[in-house]
Amino acid sequence: MKWKESLILRYEGLFDNKIKEEKENKFSSINGRSKIDEGFNWHQIVYKLIRELNTTETKAYKMNYISVLNWLSFFKQKEEVEQGNRIQTK
Amino acid sequence: MLKLNLETEDNTIEYSIPNGWDEVTINQYQELMKLKDMDYNNIELYIRIITILSDIDRDMVEDIPASDFKSITDALSFTQELITSNEIKESIILNEEEYFLKKDFDNLTLGEQASIEILMKKYDSKLELAIKELLCIFLRKKKENGKLEKFKTSFMERSELFGEVYIGDIYQLFLFF
């Protein structure tokens, strides 16, 4: 199996979200800038790692990619759980 | 390499023509791939293939006797077939320096993966156009301690050098893309 395909299968949740965001981005120029341009996708990942792991840009780029995908999956699930909890407490 | 003697008005010049994909450089492969989208007849196509693979001037190729032309096109029929290679080479020597192939995709860093995806996007996912630059990510020198050097964006300057790598030596690596 090809490398990218195997990653998409292993991290389906992450890449599903990315595909949805890419579709939404197509409308950003029509509706004003509500989404960050696709060209900044990598910056978004690095920005998230810097914030969440209290690291630096250089260190983030040196991180193992599989490890990054694991962290992003964790952040995503954590945000979903926290969002669910906020809805329940309202 | 297949040796070919062509007679000019004054003397005989010896040329070399690849016998298979393992003797075709990435630069030549990229030129060949450009022919794919052209609607050339067989003769024109082979004149261009011979010119790309042998560095013989087009004028001289046109002067090749028909019987020789046939044997050359037979020898170059591999260009109409898929690239086959037994296994990925461990290392490649260029300009007296040895470059090792980083083959373990699971050990790619975020920076390396980002560079790969940016390159694939730049070339509209056309692998044949991106190969030279992708090799800058996958071909590394070894440090004194035996470990591969860490990726730096300055490695991208090696792409012209990697154009001289034989496509058959590294193509299997890109089957994973």
Side-chain angles (χ1 to χ4, degrees), chain B residues 26-75:
Chain B
I26 290 174
N27 282 337
Q28 290 171 327
Y29 174 71
Q30 288 184 325
E31 289 303 309
L32 290 178
M33 289 300 107
K34 287 179 193 165
L35 302 178
K36 245 184 4 181
D37 303 325
M38 305 296 179
D39 193 21
Y40 297 129
N41 64 40
N42 262 356
I43 293 176
E44 178 62 25
L45 181 67
Y46 271 105
I47 287 174
R48 285 173 185 267
I49 291 174
I50 293 167
T51 309
I52 292 168
L53 294 181
S54 67
D55 285 335
I56 306 173
D57 287 342
R58 188 190 165 101
D59 289 346
M60 283 193 77
V61 175
E62 286 175 358
D63 282 344
I64 295 172
S67 57
D68 287 349
F69 192 80
K70 172 77 172 65
S71 56
I72 296 169
T73 56
D74 285 348

Side-chain angles (χ1 to χ4, degrees), chain B residues 133-149:
Chain B
E133 287 170 70
L134 285 172
L135 277 183
C136 299
I137 298 164
F138 291 102
L139 276 177
R140 309 276 177 90
K141 290 182 200 170
K142 267 189 183 170
K143 295 189 286 188
E144 280 180 7
N145 62 9
K147 288 186 178 174
L148 294 182
E149 55 189 0

Side-chain angles (χ1 to χ4, degrees), chain B residues 52-112:
Chain B
I52 292 168
L53 294 181
S54 67
D55 285 335
I56 306 173
D57 287 342
R58 188 190 165 101
D59 289 346
M60 283 193 77
V61 175
E62 286 175 358
D63 282 344
I64 295 172
S67 57
D68 287 349
F69 192 80
K70 172 77 172 65
S71 56
I72 296 169
T73 56
D74 285 348
L76 291 177
S77 60
F78 74 86
T79 56
Q80 306 306 309
E81 294 162 12
L82 292 174
I83 298 174
T84 50
S85 55
N86 296 330
E87 55 185 48
I88 308 171
K89 285 215 168 176
E90 285 295 318
S91 69
I92 286 161
I93 294 173
L94 291 163
N95 285 355
E96 296 176 4
E97 292 207 83
E98 192 168 17
Y99 295 86
F100 293 81
L101 267 171
K102 182 182 165 85
K103 292 183 278 191
D104 186 359
F105 281 35
D106 281 344
N107 274 332
L108 287 173
T109 64
L110 177 65
E112 289 161 350

Side-chain angles (χ1 to χ4, degrees), chain A residues 2-3 38 61 63 65, chain B residues 108 110-111 117 121 176-177:
Chain A
K2 296 193 172 193
W3 161 247
E38 202 187 312
Y61 274 117
M63 282 177 72
Y65 184 55
Chain B
L108 287 173
L110 177 65
E117 294 205 6
K121 197 162 191 169
F176 295 104
F177 276 79

